[in-house]
Amino acid sequence: MPIAVTDYNHVRLTVSDIDRSRSFYDSVFGFDVAYAWDPDADDETKEALWFLFGGVIYKFGGGLLGLRPVAPSDDTFAEDRCGLDHLSFTVDTRAALEDAVKTLDELGIAHEGIKDAGPGLSILEFRDPDNIALELSGPDK
């Protein structure tokens, strides 16, 4: 009998530099922070937030997205290895995809053009500072 899951709870990405990654995710997405590591916090707070591993967890949509800064500084993501291929976020309109192109351009973030990905779907691909493949998915019209 299959396990009856109802939604995803969280995704955590391993990153090499939390300051660089937080700057990227904050400026690109502006997600609300659910939990963030504070190296100056008291011992009780640090113990309570052990699960952050020095990172941050954002809340958006129906779940959480975490950044865990434990990768070596010279490591980089490759979607051709076992594990994550890419992470795609939903936008509601074609105009939101077009606005995302402008935002990425303003932030100096390299990206592909908006692509037709099949009936009714368009995507916009780009990468985070650790080369993690990100995508925005939305309607084609």
Side-chain angles (χ1 to χ4, degrees), residues 15-36:
V15 299
S16 62
D17 181 321
I18 191 61
D19 293 330
R20 181 180 68 175
S21 292
R22 276 204 67 180
S23 177
F24 175 88
Y25 283 88
D26 289 350
S27 63
V28 172
F29 298 107
F31 295 141
D32 291 332
V33 174
Y35 307 98

Side-chain angles (χ1 to χ4, degrees), residues 48-70:
L49 297 176
W50 65 269
F51 58 90
L52 292 175
F53 300 97
V56 63
I57 297 177
Y58 297 104
K59 173 124 182 85
F60 79 100
L64 302 168
L65 174 68
L67 303 178
R68 184 175 179 245
V70 298

Side-chain angles (χ1 to χ4, degrees), residues 1-2 18 33 36 41 44 48 53-54 59 70 75 86-88 95 99 103-105 117 129-130 134:
M1 172 185 252
I18 191 61
V33 174
E44 184 178 340
F53 300 97
K59 173 124 182 85
V70 298
D75 199 10
H86 70 280
L87 180 58
S88 183
D99 289 343
T103 297
L104 294 173
D105 286 345
D130 286 297
L134 302 175

Side-chain angles (χ1 to χ4, degrees), residues 3-24:
I3 298 171
V5 298
T6 58
D7 201 349
Y8 86 98
N9 183 272
H10 68 274
V11 172
R12 189 176 320 211
L13 303 175
T14 301
V15 299
S16 62
D17 181 321
I18 191 61
D19 293 330
R20 181 180 68 175
S21 292
R22 276 204 67 180
S23 177
F24 175 88

Side-chain angles (χ1 to χ4, degrees), residues 76-103:
T76 188
F77 174 80
E79 61 269 17
D80 295 330
R81 295 190 325 230
C82 268
L84 182 73
D85 179 80
H86 70 280
L87 180 58
S88 183
F89 298 96
T90 301
V91 296
D92 291 332
T93 65
R94 172 66 182 220
L97 284 174
E98 293 165 358
D99 289 343
V101 168
K102 293 175 193 168
T103 297

